[in-house]
Every structure is written in C-alpha cells, then in structure tokens.
Amino acid sequence: MLGLQSISSSDLGSALTGHGIITVDESALGQIEAGADRVLEEVGIRFEDDPETLDLWREHGGIIKDDCVFLEGSRLRQIIRGSAPQSFVLRGRNPDRDTRIGAGQPAAIAPIYGAPNVLLPNGRRAAGSLEIYRRLVSMAHAAPAISNTGHMICVLNDVAEADRPMEMALAHLTLSDKPFMGTIASPEAAEQVIDAVSMAVGREPKAGECELLHLINATPPLTYKENPLKCLRAIAQRRQACMVTSYMMMGATSPVTGAGTLIQGYAEVLAGLALAQLWSPGAPVVMGLFGIPFDMRSMLPCYGDPASHLMQIYAVQLARRLGVPVRGEGGVTSAKMDDGQAGSEGARATAASLLSGADFILHGAGWLEQGRSVSIGKFKREAKAIAESCGFGADQSALPLPFDPRLEADLRRRLRG
Amino acid sequence: MLGLQSISSSDLGSALTGHGIITVDESALGQIEAGADRVLEEVGIRFEDDPETLDLWREHGGIIKDDCVFLEGSRLRQIIRGSAPQSFVLRGRNPDRDTRIGAGQPAAIAPIYGAPNVLLPNGRRAAGSLEIYRRLVSMAHAAPAISNTGHMICVLNDVAEADRPMEMALAHLTLSDKPFMGTIASPEAAEQVIDAVSMAVGREPKAGECELLHLINATPPLTYKENPLKCLRAIAQRRQACMVTSYMMMGATSPVTGAGTLIQGYAEVLAGLALAQLWSPGAPVVMGLFGIPFDMRSMLPCYGDPASHLMQIYAVQLARRLGVPVRGEGGVTSAKMDDGQAGSEGARATAASLLSGADFILHGAGWLEQGRSVSIGKFKREAKAIAESCGFGADQSALPLPFDPRLEADLRRRLRG
C-alpha cells in the first residue's frame, strides 16, 4: 500500500534484536504521515450524524460530501501543534495523587477498561456487578503502581444502564482518592460526572489541570460515530481530557499490513485530535493508535501478537512528533486463564509500552480473554509486577479510605442532577 | 559502597518508564569500571589450585599473595581490547546454520542449560535422561528461533558421569546440524568434544570461526576454581569460544546493592576475559554478568525480579565499552509451573536481553523452577514466542534429520578417543 516498504514484519526483529535500543526510522515516520495525508485528502473521514462537526470542518477548510470530510493533514498537524498541551495534570481528591501525563513523566497506569465478565479468585466466572466493581476500585486504590483507577473495570450488569455512570463515579470517588476516568455513555452523563468530580476535588483548577480522562474511540475504518463526536465536543469544551484512539483489527477494520494500519489509524486520530483543539483550543488530549492482528478463522483479535507491539513503538514516535502525550497498552492477551500465555503476552505488551515511552497505559492490570473478562488474580499479579518494575514498595500502598456518608450523600445528590 | 549513588532501585523505574529508550548513564558505567579497578587492586581475585594461571599473572604484572592476585583493571581492559574479537562465527555441521555472535547481529538463542529435572507435558516430573535429552535436542533443532542447541538441556542422570559429555555431543551432532555448546566437565572432555565436532563440521576454519561456545563460570565472590581455569586455558588454546560469566546472588555471593554487584561481577569477568586473551590472543569470548536478588529466608534466588533486568541492561553496556559480545538471559523465572508468573517473569527477562542488545541468550526456552527443571511445554511456548517476535515463520522450522549410522559410528569412535 502506498509503496511503503519501510515497515515489515522483519522490522520487529530488528527493533527487538541486535541494536539494543528501540529505534524507529525517522523517514518511515515521515512516510506514515505522508500516507495518512493522502488518505485524508483522497478518501476522507466519515463523521456520522453530527451536523455540528461537519459545520466546524466546513469553517476550517474541510471539503464535505455527505458525511465524509476531506482534510489536509499538514493543516491538522498545525492545529494540534498550535494548541494541544504537551502535558497536563489529572487531579484526584487527594492533591498528593495528582498525576502529570506526558513531559517525560513515568507512565500513568490504569486497570482494564470494559470487561463484561469477571474471573473470580475461586476460578469461577461471573457477570460484572456493582459489588465486584467496588472491590476492583478498592484494589486499584490500594495498588501503588496504579496511579489512575480508570473506568468500567467491569460492566455493572446489575445496575440499569442509565445509572451506571453515576454508580461508577461514586465508587471511584468514595473508595479512592486517586484520579480516574470519565464516562462516555452520553455527553449529558459525561458532563454530570465532570460536575460531581470537580465538586469532590474542590480545588480551583490551574491552567493545564483537569480531573477526568475520557476514551474517545474512532470507529475504523475512517469513521467517527455520533456519540463519541458529541462527547468529544462536550468534554473538550469543559476543558477535560480526551484520549482519542484508533483501535484497529488488522485485516478486518484496517489493512492487514503494519504500514497500512499505521497510516489509516494516524489519519483517524489526527482528525479526532484536531477536532478537540478546534472545539476548545488547549483542551488536554492523549493520542492512542493500536493495530491488533485479526484471525479471520476464529473472527477474534490476536492479542499478544508481537506485530501489535511494533505498532505500539511506532505510535509513540508518531505522537512525539505531534507533541501530544500517547497511550500505551497494558497486559492485553488472548489467553483464557492466567497461564504462561497470559503472563508472557501481557508482559511483552506492557514492556513495549513502558520501553517505548507511552504516557498513559490503559488495561495495565486484570485483562484476560480478549478483554471480555477481568481476572482478579491477574489484576493483583500485574499490579505487583509493575510496582516492582517501577520501584514502588509495599509501603506506598494506599490504605482503604474511611467511609464518608456526607461525601456519598453530597455526590449522589449532585450526580442525580 | 564506594560512594556510588548513581544506580539505585529507582533507576529501573526511569530506565523502564518515561524516556522511551533504554538509556544508561555513561558516567555510571565509568564509576562501575573505577569501582571494579579498586576491587581488583585492593581486594584481588583468588585463582584456586592452578599454579599455571598464577605464573601467567606473575609474568603479566599481577601481584601474587598465596592464590590471590592483585591486578590493574586498566591493564586488563587493554589486554582484552587489544586482542579479543568483537564478533566471531559459531559453525554447525550445516554451513547455512553458521551464526555470527556480536557485531550487531540478532541475538543467538540457546535453550536452558543445566536442569536436573524435566517437567513432562502430562504434568509429571522426571529425572533428566538420555532419551529425554535426545528429544529436547530434536525440539531445539526444529525451532526456528533457536540458533544454537546449547548444552546440558537436562542432566543425563541415567548415564555415567564420564560418558555424559560424549552422549550429549552425539545427540547434538546427530539430531541437529546447528551449532551447539561444548562441555566443561574437564579440560580433557572439552578437548575430546572439540576434536569430534571439528571432524563432524569438516570445513577448515577461517579466522574468526570456531564451533563450540563454553560456559566458564567465576565462583563469586571474587574467585575462580581449578576446573574452570583449566578448561578456559584448554579451550582458548584450541581457539574455541569461552563465555566468561559471573552469576551472582545479590546479598549472598555479592553485595546486596545493584552497584556493588555490578562492580564485583565486572572485576571477576574482566580477569577471566583477560586470562583467555593471555593464554591465546584472539580467542573468541563472550562476557556474562548477572545479579539475581537472593531471598535469605528461603535461601533461593528470586528469578524474575526486575532488579536483575536492570543488571542485564548495565551488563550489555559494560561489554560494549569493552568491545566483546555479551550474554543475555532468556526466560528465567522462579515459578514452579508454566503459569502467569512464569510467563510474565520469563518474558520480561527475555525482553530485557533482546531490547538491551545481548548477543547470545542462554536459557532462552524451557527454564522453570530456578532452573531446576526444564519444562517441555514452556520450551515450546517460548520458542514459538521468540520466533514470532523475531520474524521467523513456521516454514523456517527444521525437519528432523535422517539417521546417519556412519556419522554416529565415526563420532562414537572419535569421542571414545
């Protein structure tokens, strides 16, 4: 595709052997950018069911055809470099937990995000529930390596969908004083949680500070759906952080090659990151770019495949050139239990993120079974391993927080609007 | 110790997070060298029960007191830099299997070395035996990622000790055509195997080529025993390769700190590497330097501890400054079965070796239980994972070799002397 021959599977070999440091050919990065520019200009990106986004692009030189927008890549980079902060601070209820994202700081680490099921320590599987969720948040709070307690560590299957954002935010705010991630259930829910958390944190934000990081996903290939677009706008306008991510299944939702996947994903995130800056110049953003080989026989992504670790290394370098913090993957794996495969795949993915220099690592603990389960055992094992790698001692574990009925009642009131 | 404050446990954090490449402070390397020089000059190294080694040191300016020799570090580095090759070729029976060690080539990978026990695929444990050994060699031959079939993959408990070097060499020579490692049972056994392998390889060696790599271990703290010293001499004089290694248990056979351990180990290997060059200028060598935290309660080394991965990164850089190829560790772990702990610890150790740029990785597949067992399942899993990481396809697997009764008979005759 596009004549790119500079990134092949054998590149992973040379990236991982022989030379001793993770090096990426600068000219290959330039070729990825040039390829993405051609995709943006000739193929365009679809922005579905959100006329306001189309109007904004029209104002800023986009060429619109139905819901497809043709864009100029160099202009998008200019917009991003012009106002996106190179780093920002995520604030917790406890000021000691405030975490700078980017600027060469150690990676912030959050647990798995989005698991419908839970693998319990007794080996049984259960549907995610509020009770388990609260236990998982307490575990994340206690783990010294986990600096951000994340969001949707498991799905709250026993809570009505409309109430889930509130119940999750309450769990994070009452069982932990670390920063965490916001909801993207709807723009209204996102704003409600932002209000409640701002109140709970209480301190007036300084420039470059916010409370919540939100996962805004493109829908590859080359599409953004209505809800992420509306959430992106609402969140950026509230000066909270968006992690704009393209999560591609190589061979299914992106080209099968590494080069093609990087080109497509970079085009997608470039558009999303620029949108955030156009809605709200200076709004904090993180870039995420992932390619997971997809097995067309089982119709499942192959987590743990080293090709995705190569994508990770390139993604970090592309973000560095753009001047924004970048997301890394934690212990993602296709293994069904916490066995040798899970340990090895997860450790290699985490090592690729840490060693390439990712700034915010999602899925840092607990991921199992293509992300369909959070494993309590793997959560503990990974949290401990990362703590050891990064030099945290057990003395830095956080004690459980005392129950504060007034805080809980206040927050419930605020979250109910 | 020695006022070194530049390597602390928090360094692993900064090596593994934030900056995105494995960087090592050059001034810290200089401090390690200076510390080792002081150890060599003021504490000295013991060379036990080998008057010829003491005579050689006396000739070259060493100060001898009983069997302790006080040496000048800068002179040792001068000797090593003056004649040790920066890279060399290990030759197999099949010229296509010849492998260059060093010079930025991808790491050569060999299986676990020295396991008394075997964990079978049915979950049972057995004592190592000749039959299992032959199966392990065939597996190493078939695995595309394994470029060197190693030595003593398990112990041949059912073969008389005197016959083991011959039986192992026969297995490697008849069931594989890849290069492998030589015996250090005794200098005589080493020479016998060298003769047989030279005959089997058949081709006249060019400069910088040899067949066998041998593991020559120091005995920390600051000691070399008689047999390794005599083997080192015999092997170097036959122009075969020695991997001079200090394998330290931090807190037991070396200082508990990373800096102290690196200083002690570097002093030890400097002396061993220089000895090889004094006996036979230009003889191929590899440097190995390892520190494993030691648990004083269980009296067991803690394989998988990230401190040892930090040691690995520094060891590679110290060897680079010395201009010799360097050893890396493969999937070492303290786990008792191939579970999440085994996968994670092994993958992180292997990643530290590959990413820091080690040239020859020992224990690359099969290691379990502090090295007391070789696991057939973990062997296969790791060989596959490394092949994927380094871009080898299944099409590069080697077929089993046809049984060659003449080769076997010839070799038996030759090995029996």
Side-chain angles (χ1 to χ4, degrees):
Chain A
M1 176 170 178
L2 297 171
L4 259 197
Q5 305 190 328
S6 45
I7 310 163
S8 68
S9 70
S10 72
D11 255 33
L12 184 61
S14 64
L16 291 185
T17 57
H19 303 298
I21 47 167
I22 298 176
T23 50
V24 168
D25 179 4
E26 286 287 323
S27 75
L29 298 173
Q31 285 180 283
I32 293 165
E33 289 174 353
D37 291 356
R38 205 176 139 193
V39 168
L40 288 163
E41 207 174 313
E42 297 180 12
V43 188
I45 308 261
R46 292 185 66 195
F47 297 89
E48 293 186 1
D49 306 312
D50 191 41
E52 293 183 60
T53 291
L54 296 180
D55 290 344
L56 185 76
W57 281 128
R58 199 173 285 114
E59 262 177 57
H60 289 87
I63 297 168
I64 321 287
K65 196 172 168 185
D66 300 326
D67 56 5
C68 188
V69 182
F70 302 87
L71 293 159
E72 202 187 312
S74 60
R75 174 78 190 109
L76 299 183
R77 282 192 290 279
Q78 199 180 20
I79 291 165
I80 297 163
R81 288 182 184 136
S83 66
Q86 298 210 333
S87 78
F88 61 91
V89 171
L90 287 173
R91 308 190 306 160
R93 274 207 295 128
N94 179 348
D96 292 344
R97 306 287 192 192
D98 289 0
T99 311
R100 180 166 291 279
I101 308 299
Q105 288 302 301
I109 296 178
I112 180 175
Y113 183 123
N117 304 311
V118 184
L119 181 61
L120 298 167
N122 63 9
R124 296 174 72 165
R125 279 178 166 70
S129 68
L130 179 58
E131 190 197 326
I132 295 174
Y133 196 84
R134 295 176 65 87
R135 181 167 156 199
L136 287 162
V137 170
S138 291
M139 280 170 54
H141 176 69
I146 293 183
S147 43
N148 189 294
T149 59
H151 178 68
M152 209 190 289
I153 313 178
C154 70
V155 175
L156 272 52
N157 292 286
D158 58 347
V159 174
E161 251 184 84
D163 297 334
R164 289 178 192 171
M166 179 188 84
E167 288 297 345
M168 284 188 274
L170 272 171
H172 289 277
L173 281 173
T174 57
L175 299 168
S176 173
D177 55 15
K178 294 180 178 178
F180 59 103
M181 295 175 70
T183 183
I184 47 158
S186 68
E188 298 74 29
E191 292 188 324
Q192 221 175 12
V193 170
I194 289 169
D195 285 344
V197 176
S198 301
M199 184 203 78
V201 168
R203 295 169 280 145
E204 198 59 37
K206 295 191 206 106
E209 294 184 343
C210 65
E211 286 77 37
L212 292 162
L213 178 63
H214 302 78
L215 184 52
I216 302 293
N217 277 326
T219 304
L222 301 172
T223 303
Y224 280 87
K225 298 274 185 193
E226 179 183 6
N227 184 56
L229 288 173
K230 290 186 153 62
C231 284
L232 175 76
R233 177 162 64 247
I235 293 160
Q237 286 175 342
R238 299 295 292 267
R239 314 295 286 175
Q240 297 290 324
C242 287
M243 187 152 67
V244 177
T245 298
S246 168
Y247 213 101
M248 295 163 285
M249 302 297 153
M250 299 164 71
T253 63
S254 75
V256 78
T257 66
T261 295
L262 285 165
I263 285 171
Q264 176 189 311
Y266 182 68
E268 291 169 0
V269 296
L270 216 49
L273 292 167
L275 256 190
Q277 296 311 308
L278 289 176
W279 286 127
S280 182
V285 287
V286 175
M287 178 185 126
L289 182 49
F290 300 98
I292 318 287
F294 195 78
D295 182 341
M296 300 302 276
R297 275 182 297 191
S298 63
M299 296 302 282
L300 285 171
C302 304
Y303 287 99
D305 189 290
S308 53
H309 311 154
L310 180 61
M311 305 283 98
Q312 172 75 69
I313 291 165
Y314 276 86
V316 168
Q317 294 304 316
L318 287 166
R320 290 275 178 276
R321 282 162 73 105
L322 209 48
V324 295
V326 60
R327 171 179 163 187
E329 289 289 76
V332 298
T333 171
S334 291
K336 291 185 171 49
M337 43 188 282
D338 189 21
D339 56 5
Q341 181 194 355
S344 166
E345 291 178 350
R348 285 190 286 145
T350 305
S353 294
L354 286 173
L355 294 171
S356 63
D359 301 298
F360 189 98
I361 295 182
L362 194 60
H363 310 311
W367 172 292
L368 214 55
E369 251 187 317
Q370 283 107 353
R372 287 175 311 196
S373 294
V374 49
S375 155
I376 305 246
K378 185 163 179 275
F379 189 114
K380 289 184 182 168
R381 185 176 61 68
E382 291 182 314
K384 181 165 174 283
I386 298 169
E388 284 173 355
S389 290
C390 300
F392 294 105
D395 53 323
Q396 286 156 296
S397 299
L399 292 175
L401 295 179
F403 180 66
D404 182 344
R406 246 191 59 190
L407 175 67
E408 172 117 15
D410 268 9
L411 288 169
R412 280 198 183 272
R413 233 188 341 267
R414 171 66 63 124
L415 280 160
R416 291 232 164 78
Chain B
M1 176 172 176
L2 296 170
L4 259 197
Q5 305 191 327
S6 43
I7 310 162
S8 68
S9 71
S10 72
D11 255 31
L12 185 61
S14 64
L16 292 184
T17 56
H19 302 298
I21 47 167
I22 298 177
T23 49
V24 168
D25 179 3
E26 286 287 324
S27 76
L29 297 173
Q31 284 180 284
I32 293 165
E33 289 174 352
D37 290 356
R38 202 173 141 194
V39 168
L40 287 162
E41 207 176 311
E42 297 180 12
V43 188
I45 308 263
R46 292 185 67 194
F47 297 90
E48 293 185 359
D49 306 312
D50 191 42
E52 292 182 62
T53 291
L54 296 180
D55 290 345
L56 186 75
W57 282 128
R58 199 173 286 114
E59 261 177 59
H60 289 88
I63 297 167
I64 324 285
K65 196 170 170 187
D66 301 325
D67 55 6
C68 189
V69 182
F70 301 87
L71 293 159
E72 201 185 313
S74 59
R75 175 79 190 110
L76 300 182
R77 281 191 291 279
Q78 199 180 21
I79 291 166
I80 297 163
R81 288 182 183 135
S83 66
Q86 298 210 332
S87 77
F88 60 93
V89 171
L90 288 173
R91 306 190 307 159
R93 273 205 298 128
N94 179 348
D96 292 345
R97 306 287 193 192
D98 290 0
T99 310
R100 181 166 292 279
I101 308 299
Q105 288 301 301
I109 295 178
I112 179 175
Y113 184 124
N117 306 310
V118 184
L119 182 61
L120 297 168
N122 64 8
R124 295 175 70 167
R125 278 177 167 71
S129 69
L130 179 57
E131 191 197 325
I132 295 174
Y133 196 84
R134 294 176 66 88
R135 180 167 160 198
L136 287 163
V137 170
S138 291
M139 281 170 54
H141 176 69
I146 292 182
S147 44
N148 189 295
T149 59
H151 179 68
M152 209 191 289
I153 313 179
C154 70
V155 174
L156 272 55
N157 292 287
D158 57 348
V159 174
E161 248 183 87
D163 297 334
R164 290 177 191 171
M166 181 188 80
E167 289 296 344
M168 283 189 273
L170 272 170
H172 288 276
L173 281 172
T174 57
L175 299 168
S176 173
D177 57 13
K178 293 180 178 178
F180 59 103
M181 295 175 70
T183 182
I184 46 157
S186 67
E188 298 75 27
E191 291 188 325
Q192 223 175 11
V193 171
I194 288 168
D195 284 343
V197 176
S198 301
M199 184 202 77
V201 168
R203 297 168 279 145
E204 197 62 34
K206 296 191 205 106
E209 293 184 344
C210 65
E211 286 76 39
L212 292 162
L213 178 63
H214 302 78
L215 185 50
I216 303 292
N217 277 327
T219 304
L222 301 173
T223 302
Y224 280 87
K225 299 273 184 192
E226 178 184 7
N227 184 55
L229 288 172
K230 291 189 152 66
C231 285
L232 174 76
R233 177 160 67 246
I235 294 160
Q237 285 175 343
R238 300 296 291 267
R239 313 297 285 175
Q240 298 289 325
C242 287
M243 188 152 67
V244 178
T245 298
S246 168
Y247 213 101
M248 296 162 285
M249 301 297 152
M250 299 164 72
T253 64
S254 75
V256 78
T257 66
T261 294
L262 284 164
I263 285 170
Q264 177 189 313
Y266 182 69
E268 291 169 0
V269 296
L270 215 50
L273 292 166
L275 255 190
Q277 296 309 310
L278 289 176
W279 286 126
S280 181
V285 288
V286 175
M287 180 186 125
L289 183 50
F290 300 98
I292 318 287
F294 194 79
D295 181 341
M296 299 302 277
R297 274 181 296 189
S298 63
M299 295 303 281
L300 286 171
C302 304
Y303 287 98
D305 189 290
S308 53
H309 310 153
L310 180 61
M311 306 281 99
Q312 173 74 68
I313 290 166
Y314 275 86
V316 169
Q317 294 303 317
L318 287 166
R320 289 275 178 276
R321 283 163 72 103
L322 209 48
V324 296
V326 60
R327 172 180 163 187
E329 290 289 77
V332 298
T333 171
S334 292
K336 291 186 172 48
M337 43 188 284
D338 188 21
D339 56 5
Q341 181 193 356
S344 166
E345 290 179 350
R348 285 189 285 145
T350 305
S353 294
L354 286 173
L355 295 171
S356 63
D359 300 298
F360 189 98
I361 295 183
L362 195 60
H363 311 311
W367 172 292
L368 214 56
E369 249 188 318
Q370 283 109 352
R372 288 175 310 197
S373 294
V374 50
S375 154
I376 306 250
K378 184 162 180 274
F379 189 113
K380 290 184 182 169
R381 184 176 62 68
E382 290 183 313
K384 182 166 174 282
I386 298 169
E388 285 172 353
S389 289
C390 299
F392 295 104
D395 54 323
Q396 286 156 297
S397 297
L399 292 175
L401 295 179
F403 179 65
D404 182 343
R406 245 190 61 189
L407 175 66
E408 171 116 15
D410 268 8
L411 288 170
R412 279 199 184 271
R413 235 188 341 266
R414 171 65 64 126
L415 281 160
R416 290 234 163 78

